[in-house]
């Protein structure tokens, strides 16, 4: 349930930034924006600001902005309508949606590089039932210091070694437990796990 909520939050943020790009460009081009909607279906919240109705709808999988005169059935030739603008101006409005997504991605990567990646040590946390570590005798709190006689200090280093193995291979794990060094032969096991989007 928590993973689904996080997925909805991230999706909504991407949609919001995308539609805000269209909205920003439309306003800068003096195009009237009638609706700015996050989601589809029944409206659960709405507020009118400067002739635009901002709304949040029940179904969170999408969003849109509705510009005045953005289709030929409604177009009346007024200067504030979308179809009254030049092809270059209309193209700028369309392109600013994905452009804002690219700018957001650039900003996120900049933040990550500025503060650094979270460092995961090689200390064992949860032990999963039915897998080799528990069967071999490794327990929560053990600190893995070597895999197949190769020293490791982080979880990433450990993964790089183990991911090269195949199912049913055995790795030699050296751990520190209460200042005591212990050795374990751990059999690799493989398992398919479904992701939130349905892939495995």
């Amino acid at each position: 349930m928590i993973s689904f909520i996080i997925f909805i939050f991230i999706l909504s943020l991407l949609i919001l930034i995308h539609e805000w790009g269209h909205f920003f460009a439309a306003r800068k081009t003096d195009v009237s924006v009638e609706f700015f909607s996050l989601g589809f279906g029944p409206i659960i919240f709405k507020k009118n600001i400067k002739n635009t109705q901002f709304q949040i709808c029940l179904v969170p999988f999408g969003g849109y902005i509705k510009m005045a005169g953005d289709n030929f059935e409604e177009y009346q030739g007024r200067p504030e309508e979308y179809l009254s603008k030049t092809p270059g101006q209309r193209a700028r409005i369309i392109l600013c949606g994905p452009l804002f997504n690219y700018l957001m991605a650039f900003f996120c990567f900049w933040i990550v590089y500025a503060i650094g990646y979270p460092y995961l040590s090689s200390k064992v946390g949860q032990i999963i039932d039915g897998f080799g570590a528990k069967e071999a005798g490794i327990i929560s709190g053990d600190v893995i210091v070597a895999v197949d006689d190769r020293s490791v200090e982080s979880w990433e280093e450990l993964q790089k070694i183990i991911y090269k193995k195949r199912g049913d291979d055995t790795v030699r794990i050296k751990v520190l437990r209460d200042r005591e060094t212990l050795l374990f032969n751990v059999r690799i096991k493989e398992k398919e796990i479904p992701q939130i989007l349905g892939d495995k």
Side-chain angles (χ1 to χ4, degrees), residues 15-199:
I15 294 168
L16 178 64
I17 296 297
H18 182 91
E19 297 303 331
W20 190 262
H22 294 313
F23 176 81
F24 175 81
R27 282 288 180 88
K28 286 295 183 180
T29 316
D30 296 323
V31 173
S32 178
V33 180
E34 299 172 351
F35 296 95
F36 188 116
S37 180
L38 185 60
F40 298 101
I43 299 172
I44 57 178
F45 173 81
K46 65 180 180 179
K47 185 174 180 64
N48 286 298
I49 302 175
K50 294 183 179 180
N51 300 319
T52 300
Q53 178 171 298
F54 294 86
Q55 60 192 36
I56 300 174
C57 299
L58 184 62
V59 183
F61 300 107
Y64 64 93
I65 67 166
K66 172 65 177 71
M67 294 175 284
D70 59 2
N71 61 74
F72 288 105
E73 287 76 14
E74 298 178 1
Y75 178 58
Q76 298 177 8
R78 299 194 307 269
E80 71 273 14
E81 292 182 305
Y82 174 75
L83 290 175
S84 294
K85 303 303 177 182
T86 66
Q89 290 173 321
R90 298 200 299 267
R92 184 171 61 187
I93 293 172
I94 297 300
L95 291 174
C96 270
L99 175 63
F100 270 46
N101 283 133
Y102 279 111
L103 292 175
M104 178 187 174
F106 175 82
F107 176 74
C108 289
F109 278 114
W110 179 82
I111 290 292
V112 169
Y113 281 108
I115 65 177
Y117 290 99
Y119 175 81
L120 294 177
S121 72
S122 57
K123 185 176 182 179
V124 177
Q126 180 184 3
I127 297 292
I128 303 176
D129 291 335
F131 281 83
K134 185 167 187 176
E135 293 175 357
I138 294 176
I139 63 174
S140 178
D142 285 348
V143 178
I144 299 174
V145 295
V147 179
D148 285 346
D149 299 321
R150 293 173 59 182
S151 297
V152 295
E153 295 181 356
S154 70
W155 200 256
E156 183 180 7
E157 291 176 322
L158 182 149
Q159 286 178 316
K160 285 181 179 178
I161 299 172
I162 292 180
Y163 282 174
K164 293 178 182 178
K165 304 290 183 178
R166 297 180 178 273
D168 294 328
D169 283 352
T170 298
V171 290
R172 187 174 177 83
I173 304 290
K174 181 189 291 186
V175 307
L176 287 179
R177 180 186 298 170
D178 298 328
R179 299 182 180 179
E180 181 182 3
T181 300
L182 302 173
L183 293 172
F184 299 94
N185 291 317
V186 179
R187 183 175 294 277
I188 301 296
K189 290 191 176 182
E190 296 178 341
K191 180 180 180 181
E192 281 193 347
I193 300 174
Q195 303 294 327
I196 190 169
L197 296 177
D199 57 332

